Amino acid sequence: MSRVSDSGASASLNQLTVNESHSAAPSVASKISDLSAEKQLHAENVRPVAAAAPRWWESKSLEDRPLDSKHGWAIVAAGCLMLMFSMGCVNSYGTYQTYYHQYKFPDEPVSTLSWVGTLQFGVMNFFGIPAGILCERVDTRLVSFVGGAIMAVALIVASFCDDAVWKLILTQGIVFSLGASLVFIPSTSIPSQWFTTRRALAVGIVVAGSGIGGLWLTPATQAMITHLGPGWALRITGIIIFAVNSVASLFMRSRLKVQSRDKV
């Protein structure tokens, strides 16, 4: 008798569980449908956020421009001219040093006068690191233009430094090389971005500008010093650097947009 009652109780318990599961199923399904409807409504209301436009001093991406084009060769020519005058002045400093030692500062040792040329090359390479970081954050055209302006101002101010060697070290040596570093980095890094098949040729032409500059700037500087004096030689060179670099910097546009970093 007890077995019959136990079986009946278990049967009623199973029936109750089935009824509860059937009654709970519609409520779960309704909750899922409500949740999906809410997500769909939220997705309709959310609008895609447009990418912020670059500010006037930041580089703009030009990845849609074709490679190996005439524009790329114009950049190569501009980079060659920029290196011709920046590195060319560094390579031709020996002409100034000879004049300084013979006529302007005969009592100064050659080792002291050579600090000008040494700092031109050394400071330019050292400040190439912050110049590269600056090119990631600022439009490379602006960077190269400012570099040319600094070089020109340094040479023009150096033309008036007649009484102390340390003034030449500061202007013709350190300040000039700071501007040269801002010109050297864009002119050597940007041309390779615009080529694939002839990238090596393009970079070679740009880098050759430094040797070409030293080749003709040295006799040109000697001629100016002989006929006009070292002061006017520095002023004329500074004016030419500013004019040429101002035009060439217009072509120094980076093709790739580099993401700025919060920390260096």
Side-chain angles (χ1 to χ4, degrees), residues 113-249:
L113 296 172
S114 64
W115 272 106
V116 178
T118 302
L119 288 174
Q120 280 183 339
F121 189 78
V123 175
M124 183 187 67
N125 286 276
F126 179 79
F127 278 93
I129 299 173
I133 298 174
L134 187 63
C135 289
E136 294 181 358
R137 302 174 181 270
V138 183
D139 194 335
T140 48
R141 293 175 297 178
L142 180 60
V143 173
S144 56
F145 174 79
V146 172
I150 293 174
M151 288 192 299
V153 171
L155 293 182
I156 293 174
V157 174
S159 66
F160 298 99
C161 299
D162 297 329
D163 55 347
V165 178
W166 69 267
K167 295 180 181 179
L168 290 176
I169 294 175
L170 179 62
T171 55
Q172 193 175 0
I174 297 176
V175 178
F176 177 85
S177 58
L178 290 176
S181 65
L182 298 179
V183 171
F184 180 80
I185 297 301
S187 59
T188 54
S189 62
I190 291 178
S192 61
Q193 301 178 9
W194 293 87
F195 292 90
T196 53
T197 56
R198 298 185 177 180
R199 181 176 297 171
L201 176 62
V203 175
I205 294 174
V206 172
V207 176
S210 60
I212 296 173
L215 183 65
W216 74 268
L217 266 179
T218 300
T221 301
Q222 182 62 56
M224 287 188 290
I225 291 176
T226 302
H227 295 87
L228 302 174
W232 275 106
L234 288 170
R235 293 179 201 123
I236 293 173
T237 305
I239 293 172
I240 294 175
I241 286 177
F242 181 77
V244 173
N245 198 84
S246 298
V247 177
S249 61

